[in-house]
Amino acid sequence: QGICFGVTSDTAANRLEDYEEGTFTPTVAGTSTAGSASYNIQSATYTKIGRLVYWSARVGFSSHTGGGNMIINGLPFTATNRYASAEYSYRDGLTVPSSEDLKVYVPPNVTYIGFYSVALGTDNVAALALDTSVTDISVSGVYEST
């Protein structure tokens, strides 16, 4: 048996030969009040191969006027109806409750990145509140697009 690339019953935009690279502008927002930030860093790239979107983003800001939980808007394609995990490689100034671990994910059917914290040694999960002071974070991951 062999593997055949590019043959699919899916639409042409989701075939394996569909390859795209690009950039997007990540923006931090609050879930109850989006607000606005004073950015000093906003950079992001993506590579889409078929339905898989590999992305990397860095966002830094000195202040934010939003409220609620923290998200980063701007992913270039809508995620499918399942959660996708992601990771952070760097963070500075982002407030995470003590004795909790930061987690990053892409929720279903959206174009944003979400954050939550998990109490160490438990399975207690809570959405991460938007930090309105100086924050710098680098995140990356992969998700399946619609």
Side-chain angles (χ1 to χ4, degrees), residues 16-77:
L16 286 176
E17 73 254 14
D18 175 38
Y19 181 91
E20 181 179 333
E21 292 181 346
T23 62
F24 62 97
T25 303
T27 58
V28 175
T31 55
S32 51
T33 303
S36 62
S38 294
Y39 293 102
N40 49 27
I41 301 167
Q42 281 180 285
S43 64
T45 61
Y46 71 90
T47 301
K48 181 177 182 281
I49 305 170
R51 292 176 62 153
L52 295 179
V53 181
Y54 300 84
W55 58 271
S56 177
R58 183 170 179 199
V59 179
F61 56 90
S62 58
S63 64
H64 203 291
T65 61
N69 300 320
M70 180 173 156
I71 61 173
I72 296 178
N73 288 313
L75 288 173
F77 303 95

Side-chain angles (χ1 to χ4, degrees), residues 126-137:
L128 189 69
L130 174 62
D131 195 333
T132 58
S133 61
V134 176
T135 297
D136 184 354
I137 187 163

Side-chain angles (χ1 to χ4, degrees), residues 59-139:
V59 179
F61 56 90
S62 58
S63 64
H64 203 291
T65 61
N69 300 320
M70 180 173 156
I71 61 173
I72 296 178
N73 288 313
L75 288 173
F77 303 95
T78 302
T80 60
N81 61 355
R82 57 188 110 163
Y83 284 89
S85 64
E87 294 293 326
Y88 75 93
S89 57
Y90 173 78
R91 70 180 173 112
D92 185 21
L94 181 64
T95 302
V96 177
S98 62
S99 301
E100 295 191 16
D101 191 22
L102 176 64
K103 299 294 181 185
V104 184
Y105 69 105
V106 176
N109 305 309
V110 299
T111 56
Y112 67 81
I113 302 155
F115 297 86
Y116 65 93
S117 60
V118 179
L120 299 177
T122 73
D123 57 359
N124 296 334
V125 175
L128 189 69
L130 174 62
D131 195 333
T132 58
S133 61
V134 176
T135 297
D136 184 354
I137 187 163
S138 291
V139 291

